[in-house]
Amino acid sequence: MRVWIDLTNSPHVLVMRPVIERLHADGHDVRVTARDFAQTLELCQRLHIAHTAIGHHRGERLLAKGLGLASRSAALVRWARAESRRSGAHPPFDVALGHGSNDISVAAAALRIPSATMFDYEWATVQHNVNCRLARAVVVPDAIPSQRLDRYGARGKLRPYPGLKEEYYLADFDADPAVLQELELVPARPIVVVRTPPDVSLYHRFESDLFAQVLEQLRAAAASDGVQAVVLPRVASQREELRRVPGFIVPERAIDAQSLIALADLVISAGGTMNREAVALGTPVYTTFQGRLGAVDERLIDERRLRMLAGPEELELAKRSTLADAGEGASATPRVRRDPGVLVELLLSAARDRAA
């Protein structure tokens, strides 16, 4: 089968990596396109995923997103048609796959290629109204109630899977302590990993923003107690801003973030993927997300595998082993490893449904 995969954001590279490997192992012909945004291209290179870079992020405003969707989808159509001429196959691919990529859903529809989409947060209304209506298969965690997705046109297309997507793509993962040496971290001192929110500016709401208060708490703890705070920015402007703050460790390039999370004493993240990676890897984790919670996080909070952070005073900035001995702090959870082949089968159902 000829399979087309599009990657538009850093987490999508991680999710699709074992899917791509399994498809190759099963003899499928796989082509990957990737958008220049955040660390997407860097991660493709680090994980040795052959890809064609097409397009870039156009900005957060709705008009800019609309223009970006139109221009990049058109660029993907042109690329796919060139692939068709090169291979002599019409259509160029049997199925198109993406994790939250509107671009490939639109391009695949224009080329009459069946597509499958994945996501695990149900409140991205604009994105899902595009993807769910155009895709033949909608692959989501079984934690999301189906009625939440009906309004997007997903009825009859849902392909639910158990657990977290992170438990699938981290199934073959074991932490590499080399990341500690790369960042010059001292294992005997507390290590806290922090993921910034999507906001471009981190300190513009310093007095009231919870995440900014967390940063201030960590800066003080670094100065007084030797806490090592590794802050992972989303975009270059955040990196430049954080470099000016003493006490933070800010990597200059994409790193082995999963190993860092697994070896850390605590993770604090304003986003979703890193929170769930910490859960999957058994590291205590707090979320500072202030938007509408999705069903996956609701379940994790109910199970106390993820904790909402009300204020920076709740943070226990100490070695994980010390806190466990004292019976304090956020608790770690056992690892769960799941077979990525489950996701492959659900995604490929988009093509098999057409054949049936």
Side-chain angles (χ1 to χ4, degrees), residues 111-147:
L111 294 163
R112 298 187 178 182
I113 300 169
S115 67
T117 188
M118 282 182 68
F119 57 85
D120 58 0
Y121 178 69
E122 64 271 31
W123 304 124
T125 303
V126 175
Q127 180 188 95
H128 300 333
N129 265 308
V130 175
N131 283 337
C132 292
R133 295 185 192 284
L134 295 178
R136 290 179 179 267
V138 178
V139 180
V140 294
D142 62 7
I144 301 177
S146 60
Q147 59 269 25

Side-chain angles (χ1 to χ4, degrees), residues 55-123:
H56 61 276
H57 193 261
R58 293 298 187 98
E60 294 299 326
R61 293 184 181 275
L62 188 59
L63 177 59
K65 285 189 174 188
L67 291 173
L69 173 61
S71 64
R72 188 167 185 271
S73 298
L76 291 178
V77 168
R78 292 192 296 272
W79 172 84
R81 284 176 175 161
E83 285 289 301
S84 180
R85 291 192 294 272
R86 184 189 62 79
S87 65
H90 303 282
F93 299 98
D94 298 303
V95 68
L97 313 177
H99 189 288
S101 170
N102 286 146
D103 305 342
I104 197 170
S105 297
V106 172
L111 294 163
R112 298 187 178 182
I113 300 169
S115 67
T117 188
M118 282 182 68
F119 57 85
D120 58 0
Y121 178 69
E122 64 271 31
W123 304 124

Side-chain angles (χ1 to χ4, degrees), residues 157-311:
K157 302 177 181 180
L158 294 182
R159 307 289 189 272
Y161 59 86
L164 310 172
K165 72 179 188 300
E166 291 79 8
E167 293 168 342
Y168 293 87
Y169 72 76
L170 292 171
D172 60 352
F173 173 81
D174 290 302
D176 183 355
V179 70
L180 302 184
Q181 297 176 342
E182 179 184 349
L183 297 175
E184 299 182 353
L185 296 170
V186 180
R189 288 161 47 196
I191 299 171
V192 181
V193 179
V194 186
R195 178 62 160 168
T196 62
D199 310 64
V200 171
S201 179
L202 298 178
Y203 283 93
H204 67 291
R205 301 184 308 278
F206 191 85
E207 292 301 323
S208 60
D209 182 75
L210 174 60
F211 192 83
Q213 293 172 26
V214 168
L215 290 180
E216 177 60 21
Q217 176 93 344
L218 292 173
R219 181 171 65 175
S224 62
D225 303 321
V227 170
Q228 302 166 104
V230 183
V231 186
L232 304 178
R234 292 176 184 265
V235 294
S237 59
Q238 289 181 342
R239 181 175 289 107
E240 289 300 321
E241 192 172 1
L242 288 162
R243 278 202 196 105
R244 298 193 292 268
V245 181
F248 293 157
I249 300 162
V250 185
E252 294 292 324
R253 62 189 66 84
I255 60 167
D256 182 1
Q258 289 70 44
S259 288
L260 180 62
I261 290 167
L263 297 169
D265 299 291
L266 183 66
V267 170
I268 308 164
S269 175
T273 298
M274 188 162 288
N275 287 336
R276 292 187 290 274
E277 285 181 340
V279 171
L281 293 170
T283 301
V285 54
Y286 283 101
T287 179
T288 64
F289 182 67
Q290 295 176 299
R292 187 175 185 181
L293 283 178
V296 172
D297 283 355
E298 289 173 341
R299 177 180 287 184
L300 292 176
I301 290 169
D302 286 344
E303 295 171 349
R304 295 189 64 78
R305 300 170 73 191
L306 173 68
R307 295 181 64 173
M308 289 288 296
L309 185 66

Side-chain angles (χ1 to χ4, degrees), residues 14-41:
L14 306 175
V15 177
M16 289 301 193
R17 188 267 312 167
V19 171
I20 293 167
E21 291 176 355
R22 184 66 61 92
L23 288 168
H24 279 306
D26 290 344
H28 298 288
D29 181 9
V30 183
R31 295 288 188 274
V32 177
T33 50
R35 181 176 65 165
D36 185 3
F37 176 64
Q39 290 81 44
T40 304
L41 300 185

